[in-house]
Each structure stands twice: as structure tokens, then as C-alpha cells.
Amino acid sequence: MRCVLVGPPGAGKGTQAQFLAAHYSIPHISTGDIFRANLKAGTDLGNQAKSFMDRGELVPDSVTNEMVKDRLTHDDVANGFLLDGFPRNVAQAEVLRAILAEKKTPLHAVLEFSLADEEIIARLLQRAEIEKREDDKEDVIKRRLEVYAEQTAPIISFYRNEGLLISISAVGNIEDITANAISALSRLEQ
Ligand code: ADP
């Protein structure tokens, strides 16, 4: 199963990705998590990403694409992967398509988690209280939502045109959403 997860910040992609990765026994690759781990470890990559993340902007494609390209050479992706947070714009989607075409391992699906704007903001403010993540401050949240609408949302039509898009609602309890995702993905296998 080679799958991309798409959805606005706060849609619960990370939570769902963990359950889906366990279900399919494939790695969950979150570019946000990789950047945060690098920030914490004080690596060059972390330092390059920091100012963009703090402002809610995308880290430049040159940095992000190389990081993902490298991650997709690891042995653990042999049976598939769940990509969470990448691609985040059409240029990244094209790079991903090229990387996978070269390896002759195209995507099986792109799973979109959909959620109304009001619900997104409520969830992110709630998460800010709990996780105290640097980029969950109100003005940065606002910017991340703008960046999502302007730069990331266009990948949904990109993948619809490729015939890869599956949309499910991100509202409801966590187990039901996971079950919906698995049943939508299993329809693909038939
Ligand atoms: P969320 O989905 O909650 O906004 P993520 O953890 O996926 O958060 O990402 C946090 C930040 O990491 C983003 O706001 C951005 O600065 C950076 N980032 C993550 N993935 C990418 C990407 N594919 N391209 C550019 N920047 C990214």
C-alpha cells in the first residue's frame, strides 16, 4: 500500500496514519515529524526548516524534496508507506510522481480527510493547549490554514485527475474514521 494522506492541519491525519500504518504494517512518514525531530536534534536540516515552520510557511521545496527522496530509499518502504504532510503543493506532487515512476512503484491512493473550517480552528486551538507545539499559536495557525488553502488544496484536483483520490470525512470518532479509511482503501484492492 503506497498512499498519501491529505487534509488540513487538525484533520487528524497523524492520528489516523498511526492506526493505518499498524493495520498495513507499513511506515508512517510524516514530514512535519521529521522536521521537528531535526529541530530538536539541532541538525542543519532542522536549522534550515525552523524559521519557515515558526511562521507557518512551507519549508522550501529544495529542502523538503531531498529529505523525502532520501527517506524513500530506506529498506522499510519496500512494502509501502503512508506519506503524511507530503506533498504539500503541486510541485512536490510532481516530484513525488517522478521519484516513484523511476522506482516503478506508483501510488495506489491519495486519502483526503475533509473537515469544515470552523472545526479545524477549534481543534487546533484545543491541541495548542495540550501539546504546546510552537506553531499552534493563533496567528501561525491562521497562516497555516491560508497556506493550506492556497498551496496544498490544489493537489486534491491534481490527484483527482490522476484517478487516485479517495475522500472521507474527518468528523466522528477516531475508530469509525479508521474503519472508513480501511474500507475505502480495500475497495481499491478489488
Ligand atoms: P500540520 O499538518 O499540523 O500543519 P505538520 O506537522 O504536517 O503540521 O507540519 C508542520 C510544518 O512543517 C509545516 O507548517 C511546514 O512548515 C513544515 N512542513 C511539513 N511538511 C512540509 C512539506 N511537505 N513541505 C514544506 N514544509 C513542510
Side-chain angles (χ1 to χ4, degrees):
M1 171 64 66
R2 289 181 295 274
C3 181
V4 163
L5 306 180
V6 193
K13 291 186 302 291
T15 307
Q16 292 301 328
Q18 286 177 20
F19 290 114
L20 294 171
H23 180 83
Y24 293 104
S25 304
I26 51 177
H28 165 209
I29 302 176
S30 157
T31 45
D33 286 352
I34 300 176
F35 282 132
R36 278 186 290 278
N38 276 278
L39 265 180
K40 220 172 147 195
T43 66
D44 272 355
L45 181 65
N47 295 335
Q48 281 173 354
K50 182 172 175 16
S51 64
F52 299 97
M53 293 177 76
D54 286 348
R55 283 179 285 131
E57 301 293 339
L58 296 188
V59 177
D61 287 354
S62 53
V63 176
T64 309
N65 290 338
E66 278 309 305
M67 177 178 94
V68 171
K69 198 170 176 185
D70 174 72
R71 181 63 185 85
L72 292 176
T73 64
H74 295 193
D75 291 344
D76 65 348
V77 302
N79 294 324
F81 52 78
L82 285 174
L83 262 179
D84 163 13
F86 185 91
R88 244 183 167 88
N89 59 33
V90 172
Q92 292 182 2
E94 283 167 347
V95 166
L96 178 63
R97 184 172 59 186
I99 295 172
L100 297 178
E102 198 179 322
K103 293 151 68 94
K104 300 197 168 37
T105 54
L107 287 176
H108 294 112
V110 174
L111 190 60
E112 180 199 4
F113 294 94
S114 61
L115 192 68
D117 283 353
E118 310 81 69
E119 179 69 16
I120 298 172
I121 296 172
R123 287 191 189 185
L124 287 173
L125 290 174
Q126 195 187 10
R127 183 172 81 184
E129 284 292 304
I130 301 165
E131 292 185 12
K132 312 257 182 269
R133 224 171 84 172
E134 279 290 316
D135 60 351
D136 275 344
K137 299 187 180 82
E138 199 162 352
D139 53 333
V140 183
I141 289 176
K142 227 178 117 221
R143 183 61 195 144
R144 279 161 54 219
L145 291 174
E146 283 169 7
V147 168
Y148 182 80
E150 288 162 11
Q151 301 186 48
T152 308
I155 73 173
I156 292 172
S157 355
F158 174 93
Y159 283 127
R160 189 178 293 120
N161 291 336
E162 300 249 300
L164 289 170
L165 192 75
I166 301 177
S167 294
I168 64 168
S169 166
V171 184
N173 73 49
I174 292 176
E175 296 77 21
D176 289 347
I177 296 169
T178 310
N180 288 342
I182 292 170
S183 93
L185 291 170
S186 69
R187 266 175 255 139
L188 281 178
E189 290 161 20
Q190 283 155 20

